[in-house]
Amino acid sequence: MISFICNNKEVTESCTGGLPVLDWIRSQTGLKGTKEGCREGDCGACTVIVGRPGDSGIEYSAVCSCLLPMGDIHGCHLVTIEGLTTGNSEDLTPFQQSFYDEAASQCGFCTPGMIMSLTGFLLGSHKLTTSAAIESLDGNICRCTGYISVKRAVENVMCELPEPTENRLEMLIEKGHIPEYFRTISVRLSKLPAHSTSVDGPVIAGGTDVYVHSSDELAGRHPSFLSRRDDLGRIVTDNDLVRIGSAVTFTQLRESSVITDLFPDLKEFLSRVSSTQIRSRATVGGNIVNASPIADMAIVFLALNASVTVSNRIIPLSEFYLGYKKLDMQEGEILTEISFTLPEPGSVLSSLKVGKREYLDIASVNSSMLLRIEDENENESNVILFARVAAGGVSPVPLLLKRTGDFLKGKILSENILQTACSVAVEEISPISDVRGSKEYKRELLMAQIRAHLTRGVMK
Ligand SMILES: Cc1cc2nc3c(=O)[nH]c(=O)nc-3n(C[C@H](O)[C@H](O)[C@H](O)COP(=O)(O)OP(=O)(O)OC[C@H]3O[C@@H](n4cnc5c(N)ncnc54)[C@H](O)[C@@H]3O)c2cc1C
Ligand code: FES
Ligand code: FES
């Protein structure tokens, strides 16, 4: 049985845990505001908000219901567009009213998803700035209105919204963004019956890879959910080791002070990885196990010389990938942790990706470089003390460019050295031509990224 609160109503369901929440909403509830577009996490039309009890109360986030399994919302608050108001057609939230006033909706298919993303943003913990609100729509595609009137509608609401000093939930209720019943949810969730279900399916972390290609098959199964394992959801520093649980999401990584204090530029890179809805679910472990040659997290952790823990074996990530989608891991094993040693003081991590679109696109080529350059003030020669480079989209696996890093070590940065480093890197890779670009283009992209990493490193 799966128990949760849908909008203002307690629900207990006996469906399979693998059924996508989108299918349950549209077939079982009569609530049709949640739209089905791509079923691949790309369009955002199916966006709902999920509130999960956490260390600091209920943590709400906007997610794609097409990639969200029912078993993963047990004990949670599921909010659809209908749950934001009382049901009276005159009763609109400020965002809904502003979309109406600014004619920010034409056919209306994408509008519920946009309102849910914006409300999910308000319910989260971000600073309430207009630019951050607009950024929260990075996973919502509109194909007929265009985005200018949408932006205007968002700006109108955000400039009226105070930064809450204490209770954000109360402020949002007072301003009409959410109904009063939200006050009761915390207590009501704690009274839900415990979960009882058998497991006859695969391991699911965030589901953002498996549901894209196996949604129909998973709908009839009872998968095992890693999000239920608290031990896999933490980021800690243990002496000089940073340890990241495999079920840590991209959003948690982006908001972790442990990570952003060490690597301030990673936050910006992560904002170009998937979308707000996908980052709330996608996990670091899932990214590494999925073994895509362009996995964004894999290249970052390769540059950090990270290791992965699988059944108590600690394996260097650079040795974990044995070939295209082949891992040093047996079926049924769980990757529990990613860990790396704190880099030397003065090290800079630079990560870049180039795709066909700025938002919501996987890379044609991505790369990450950990770099330490001699302090310019002591010696103006820019000696590279250390460099480790990794790249994706240029071989069957996310690749550590060992020879390029070794070549750079001890060199004084100059145009000549930059050119030679690019030539060494190109010799290490074997890109293929595909929909993301020709092999020649991918070589050019990698060389441009290596230049950018090194020149950025000097400017730090
Ligand atoms: C719209 C969209 C945009 C995307 N954009 C990007 C992008 O920009 N960059 C990028 O790198 N990726 C992107 N992805 C891919 C995906 O979000 C990531 O690869 C994500 O990290 C997968 O993690 P997950 O937790 O969702 O994996 P899941 O789908 O839950 O699992 C993937 C596979 O790994 C297995 N698995 C998961 N965790 C473990 C574990 N701890 N131990 C053992 N097996 C495990 C599962 O059984 C499954 O086979 C995108 C996906 C979508 C849908
Ligand atoms: S239906 Fe397109 S993101 Fe879910
Ligand atoms: S209003 Fe038609 S797709 Fe956005």
Side-chain angles (χ1 to χ4, degrees):
M1 303 301 268
I2 300 163
S3 298
F4 55 99
I5 297 175
C6 176
N7 299 332
N8 194 15
K9 189 174 164 201
E10 275 77 356
V11 178
T12 294
E13 267 290 343
S14 58
C15 63
T16 48
L19 182 74
V21 168
L22 172 65
D23 294 347
W24 178 80
I25 294 172
R26 291 194 57 88
S27 67
Q28 302 297 317
T29 66
L31 302 171
K32 300 289 187 181
T34 309
K35 303 297 181 203
E36 178 178 338
C38 63
R39 285 188 82 91
E40 292 192 352
D42 255 326
C43 72
C46 68
T47 304
V48 294
I49 298 171
V50 172
R52 201 173 285 276
D55 294 341
S56 50
I58 301 181
E59 292 160 10
Y60 283 99
S61 55
V63 298
C64 296
S65 60
C66 63
L67 307 180
L68 178 68
M70 285 293 285
D72 222 1
I73 60 165
H74 174 80
C76 295
H77 184 202
L78 171 69
V79 189
T80 69
I81 185 80
E82 294 85 356
L84 296 186
T85 51
T86 56
N88 176 347
S89 61
E90 302 291 304
D91 170 26
L92 299 179
T93 72
F95 278 127
Q96 287 174 323
Q97 185 64 52
S98 186
F99 268 55
Y100 177 79
D101 295 342
E102 292 294 342
S105 180
Q106 204 175 129
C107 78
F109 197 79
C110 67
T111 312
M114 291 208 182
I115 301 293
M116 295 311 279
S117 291
L118 290 162
T119 311
F121 160 76
L122 295 183
L123 281 163
S125 54
H126 314 82
K127 277 193 100 170
L128 298 180
T129 63
T130 304
S131 59
I134 290 171
E135 191 112 324
S136 76
L137 292 174
D138 59 1
N140 294 83
I141 292 175
C142 174
R143 277 294 168 263
C144 58
T145 305
Y147 301 99
I148 300 299
S149 51
V150 169
K151 281 185 180 168
R152 247 188 348 253
V154 175
E155 280 159 8
N156 292 349
V157 173
M158 292 310 293
C159 67
E160 298 278 311
L161 210 60
E163 190 64 55
T165 43
E166 275 185 15
N167 193 333
R168 189 147 166 167
L169 201 74
E170 283 304 322
M171 184 277 281
L172 294 177
I173 293 173
E174 194 186 308
K175 294 277 173 194
H177 284 279
I178 49 172
E180 292 188 357
Y181 78 79
F182 269 70
R183 279 195 197 106
T184 66
I185 294 296
S186 180
V187 172
R188 288 161 64 190
L189 284 182
S190 66
K191 292 184 181 158
L192 289 177
H195 195 248
S196 64
T197 181
S198 53
V199 170
D200 75 351
V203 161
I204 295 204
T208 63
D209 272 320
V210 279
Y211 269 84
V212 171
H213 50 78
S214 307
S215 178
D216 290 347
E217 187 204 325
L218 289 165
R221 309 283 294 275
H222 289 285
S224 155
F225 297 107
L226 294 187
S227 60
R228 305 206 165 279
R229 287 191 47 181
D230 286 346
D231 58 322
L232 303 185
R234 301 205 175 90
I235 303 176
V236 291
T237 311
D238 189 355
N239 295 317
D240 65 347
L241 204 62
V242 178
R243 302 174 56 187
I244 301 171
S246 62
V248 163
T249 64
F250 292 178
T251 300
Q252 281 174 295
L253 196 70
R254 190 166 177 250
E255 289 171 3
S256 153
S257 56
V258 172
I259 300 299
T260 51
D261 287 356
L262 280 171
F263 313 118
D265 294 348
L266 198 56
K267 200 166 182 156
E268 172 60 21
F269 177 70
L270 280 165
S271 71
R272 297 287 167 265
V273 174
S274 58
S275 64
T276 301
Q277 291 98 316
I278 301 296
R279 286 194 297 271
S280 297
R281 297 274 308 155
T283 66
V284 175
N287 195 256
I288 289 173
V289 173
N290 186 47
S292 160
I294 40 174
D296 283 323
M297 288 302 102
I299 55 124
V300 167
F301 287 110
L302 277 169
L304 291 173
N305 201 22
S307 296
V308 292
T309 306
V310 178
S311 304
N312 296 325
R313 286 185 300 140
I314 299 178
I315 311 159
L317 185 55
S318 56
E319 295 168 22
F320 188 55
Y321 295 114
L322 305 177
Y324 178 66
K325 298 259 177 183
K326 269 200 200 153
L327 304 171
D328 181 5
M329 189 169 106
Q330 303 304 314
E331 207 177 322
E333 284 192 308
I334 302 284
L335 189 160
T336 50
E337 186 173 282
I338 298 100
S339 57
F340 62 89
T341 307
L342 284 172
E344 295 273 334
S347 303
V348 174
L349 181 73
S350 165
S351 306
L352 294 165
K353 70 186 274 190
V354 175
K356 288 186 170 177
R357 288 184 302 188
E358 186 177 358
Y359 290 102
L360 243 183
D361 204 7
I362 46 176
S364 296
V365 170
N366 53 6
S367 62
S368 195
M369 186 183 287
L370 186 70
L371 186 68
R372 190 154 51 89
I373 293 187
E374 196 164 41
D375 190 341
E376 278 180 79
N377 296 329
E378 285 173 21
N379 177 345
E380 286 184 9
S381 59
N382 286 330
V383 178
I384 300 168
L385 300 175
F386 178 85
R388 189 184 292 106
V389 201
V394 291
S395 94
V397 296
L399 193 66
L400 179 69
L401 301 178
K402 186 164 181 326
R403 274 183 278 144
T404 311
D406 289 347
F407 165 78
L408 284 167
K409 196 170 168 190
K411 300 287 187 310
I412 296 171
L413 198 59
S414 65
E415 177 53 32
N416 194 19
I417 292 298
L418 272 172
Q419 276 181 22
T420 318
C422 289
S423 309
V424 176
V426 162
E427 280 169 22
E428 291 197 76
I429 62 174
S430 50
I432 53 167
S433 299
D434 59 18
V435 287
R436 316 221 142 259
S438 67
K439 56 189 177 194
E440 293 79 15
Y441 174 61
K442 291 180 186 178
R443 281 194 204 106
E444 291 295 329
L445 281 183
L446 180 64
M447 289 194 282
Q449 289 183 17
I450 285 179
R451 273 181 174 273
H453 290 309
L454 288 165
T455 40
R456 274 168 132 196
V458 172
M459 277 152 45
K460 288 278 164 189

